[in-house]
């Protein structure tokens, strides 16, 4: 089992550029989430999905879009990158709402 | 407001020196308390879920316990390979993560 796969692992963007972070899981989990991790802070929820076709905003959604056309894939789009979006991004999935997450290996994004 | 606080921020132990990590939470209607291990450059790895006060779970040298206000991760006779950041998260209406405790175990 691959679990949760994220690509790319590293990315450098210029301010104002857009890009998509890819996330795929092969565990047939309905629940998927995107988090960002910054030094000294806990993981913060950006967007989440409870199933194909259903998405909602988390704690820090501004500047990001998501879609969920299939159970497996949950891409995160940065619309116009800003230096404040420099962070490590994690995609995670879980089988039920009150279960623990399986996390991907992360994407380290730098915006210059 | 829901909140999760972990202490200490960092902990340095000698190999074999047992200790505990603390996770204090303020969450309305706790639906789960989670512990994760995170190695540098990797995603968090799920360790335990606790659902009710008094519950305990064990895995190798780790034991997690839960009260109505906090959870502890007890590490018995740690080894250098236990060095990592340990994260806790509490789920009420939503899941809140703490900032983590960085554990260093010296041989």
């Amino acid at each position: 089992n691959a679990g949760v796969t994220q690509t790319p692992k590293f990315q450098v963007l210029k301010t104002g550029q857009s890009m998509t972070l890819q996330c795929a899981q092969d565990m047939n989990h309905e629940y998927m989430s995107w988090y960002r991790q910054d030094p000294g802070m806990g993981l913060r929820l950006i967007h989440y999905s409870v199933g194909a076709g259903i998405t909602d905003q988390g704690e820090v959604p501004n500047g990001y879009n998501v879609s969920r056309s299939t159970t497996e894939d949950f891409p995160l789009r940065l619309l116009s990158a800003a230096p404040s979006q420099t962070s490590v991004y994690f995609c995670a999935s879980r089988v039920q709402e009150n279960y623990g997450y399986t996390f991907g290996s992360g994407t380290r994004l730098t915006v210059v | 407001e829901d909140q999760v606080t972990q202490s200490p921020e960092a902990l340095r132990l000698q190999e074999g020196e047992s200790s505990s990590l603390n996770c204090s939470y303020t969450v309305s209607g706790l639906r789960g308390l989670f512990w994760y291990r995170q190695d540098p450059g990797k995603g968090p790895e799920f360790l335990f879920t606790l659902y009710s006060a008094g519950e305990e779970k064990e895995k190798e040298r780790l034991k997690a316990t839960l009260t109505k206000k906090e959870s502890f991760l007890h590490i018995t006779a740690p080894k250098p390979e236990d060095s990592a950041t340990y994260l806790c998260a509490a789920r009420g209406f939503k899941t809140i993560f703490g900032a983590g405790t960085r554990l260093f175990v010296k041989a």
Side-chain angles (χ1 to χ4, degrees), chain A residues 11-19 78 80-87 108-112:
Chain A
Q11 183 71 50
V12 179
L13 289 179
K14 294 183 178 180
T15 297
Q17 287 185 316
S18 62
M19 78 160 294
L78 278 69
S80 177
S84 61
Q85 294 178 304
T86 293
S87 187
R108 184 173 294 274
L109 175 69
T110 302
V111 182
V112 297

Side-chain angles (χ1 to χ4, degrees), chain A residues 37 42 90 94 97-98 101 104, chain B residues 31 36 38 43-44 51 91 98:
Chain A
Q37 186 174 42
F90 289 102
R94 55 187 174 186
E97 217 170 6
N98 296 337
Y101 279 117
Chain B
R31 293 157 68 181
Y36 295 86
Q38 186 173 23
Y51 291 105
R91 176 166 177 81

Side-chain angles (χ1 to χ4, degrees), chain B residues 5-23:
Chain B
T5 303
Q6 292 189 247
S7 62
E9 289 185 13
L11 181 62
R12 297 181 185 275
L13 299 174
Q14 290 290 128
E15 183 173 5
E17 179 186 2
S18 301
S19 188
S20 297
L21 282 56
N22 177 264
C23 173

